[in-house]
Amino acid sequence: MRRAEALKKAATLIEALPWLASFHGATVVIKYGGNAMTEEHLREKFAADVVFLRYAGLRPVIVHGGGPQINAQLDLLGIESTFTAGLRVTTPEAMQVVRMVLVGQVNRDVVGQINRHGPFAIGMSGEDAHLFTAVRKHALVDGVGVDIGQVGDIVEVEAGAVRALLDDGRIPVVSSIARSDDGTVYNVNADTAAAALAVALRASKLIILTDVEGLYRDWRPDADENEIIEQLSATELEKLLPGLSSGMIPKMEACLTAVQGGVPRAHVLDGRVPHSVLLEVFTDEGIGTMVLPDAPEAAAAPEPVRRRPEAPAQLKGNDQ
């Protein structure tokens, strides 16, 4: 029995060999959120995965949001939180709470979990060293722009500080806060921030952790099991975006932005699966949905053959 178990472990290590060779020295940007961030056992496994990537020779970067934690703190303080066109209306009072929770609570929690394994993680905000510069975002209601307060769209990324941390062997942990040229602080979507940073860093992968298995084909809530689209091109995804549910649109838009900006591959994974990041990076089958650029030559580095592209049927997303 012991020998059989040992052989299984050896087989797993050998299966990882081509992926270790392919991604050695590669930068991987991971958007961290959903249940993976709120359930203790998943938080611990995620931190271990990130440290494993670092020891395996990769350069991981974490970008996080914190919607549930922000909601809880706003409720605790009795600050009303309303939404317009699916976006949180962020008053100056609410923005103070958002900034406090993301930078002072969630970021510190993520850094602390990783640093249980060694002196690796360093927390930073998108405000630091002008990492993210944003402009005010307006919600569209019946085709008309509506002011929703301090919610921003990223227009510039200055990634020098992140590169310096990576070159020093550290793991940057970035909260999705940005500033404008006039110093106004904005809350920005973490999926969008991760994609923008991945492009700026010329990352080899963007990985978005969420609370669904991936992008579903013909999503039916009453079905026992829905089929996951394993792989699709940027053009295929662009055509399908209007038909996706609101929860999946920012995630898939982030994948599209990344691969159109030069990132060779982007993934949406189920963060509820323990060690989902390692399963995607180091196994032959992988998990979740992978988005690729249209032109194969756009890939910065070859990857061992894993899957064949599928011609996707009509897709439906699923809310996080």
Side-chain angles (χ1 to χ4, degrees):
M1 179 65 72
R2 288 179 58 193
R3 182 176 181 179
E5 289 297 319
L7 288 172
K8 284 173 62 178
K9 292 178 182 178
T12 300
L13 292 172
I14 292 300
E15 181 180 332
L17 180 59
W19 311 106
L20 286 165
S22 178
F23 291 118
H24 188 81
T27 299
V28 177
V29 176
I30 305 171
K31 186 269 179 166
Y32 181 39
N35 282 355
M37 180 181 281
T38 57
E39 295 187 17
E40 183 64 26
H41 75 103
L42 293 175
R43 292 168 58 199
E44 293 173 356
K45 291 177 173 62
F46 173 78
D49 287 357
V50 170
V51 174
F52 185 97
L53 293 179
R54 194 267 186 192
Y55 275 123
L58 285 78
R59 291 153 52 102
V61 178
I62 314 304
V63 178
H64 69 83
Q69 294 92 334
I70 292 170
N71 289 337
Q73 189 65 28
L74 288 171
D75 289 343
L76 183 65
L77 296 174
I79 299 174
E80 184 180 6
S81 183
T82 61
F83 290 81
T84 298
L87 299 171
R88 186 194 302 274
V89 178
T90 307
T91 63
E93 184 182 28
M95 187 64 226
Q96 289 183 2
V97 176
V98 170
R99 192 186 198 186
M100 176 185 69
V101 171
L102 292 183
V103 180
Q105 176 188 333
V106 178
N107 190 274
R108 305 317 309 165
D109 287 346
V110 177
V111 168
Q113 286 280 352
I114 293 172
N115 284 346
R116 290 181 179 181
H117 301 275
F120 303 122
I122 294 182
M124 58 187 301
S125 162
E127 299 174 70
D128 295 336
H130 291 191
L131 175 57
F132 296 141
T133 300
V135 295
R136 187 177 294 263
K137 181 184 181 71
H138 288 79
L140 282 178
V141 179
D142 298 326
V144 179
V146 177
D147 187 4
I148 53 174
Q150 290 175 239
V151 177
D153 272 329
I154 293 173
V155 293
E156 186 177 349
V157 180
E158 175 49 69
V162 175
R163 290 193 190 97
L165 290 173
L166 290 171
D167 291 343
D168 192 41
R170 308 301 177 180
I171 300 172
V173 179
V174 182
S175 57
S176 54
I177 299 291
R179 67 183 299 281
S180 67
D181 286 333
D182 65 7
T184 304
V185 179
Y186 289 108
N187 183 20
V188 297
N189 180 278
D191 300 312
T192 304
L197 185 55
V199 171
L201 291 172
R202 299 183 180 179
S204 295
K205 273 184 185 286
L206 168 66
I207 295 175
I208 294 179
L209 295 181
T210 183
D211 289 344
V212 295
E213 298 172 89
L215 194 57
Y216 293 109
R217 186 196 304 274
D218 295 325
W219 165 255
R220 292 179 313 211
D222 58 341
D224 291 335
E225 186 173 348
N226 287 282
E227 182 182 359
I228 297 296
I229 299 300
E230 290 187 346
Q231 182 172 305
L232 71 165
S233 70
T235 295
E236 290 167 336
L237 176 56
E238 196 167 18
K239 292 176 180 176
L240 295 164
L241 272 175
L244 303 184
S245 66
S246 59
M248 284 301 286
I249 286 176
K251 296 165 184 26
M252 300 316 300
E253 281 182 338
C255 290
L256 184 62
T257 296
V259 298
Q260 289 181 334
V263 178
R265 49 197 72 87
H267 308 259
V268 173
L269 308 183
D270 191 346
R272 300 168 301 179
V273 176
H275 304 300
S276 56
V277 173
L278 298 187
L279 290 173
E280 171 50 47
V281 176
F282 294 123
T283 66
D284 291 343
E285 292 300 322
I287 61 173
T289 297
M290 178 164 63
V291 182
L292 296 172
D294 291 319
E297 62 269 22
E303 181 175 319
V305 176
R306 174 177 282 166
R307 313 180 179 105
R308 288 190 172 189
E310 299 181 13
Q314 178 65 33
L315 298 182
K316 293 292 180 183
N318 187 31
D319 287 345
Q320 180 169 321

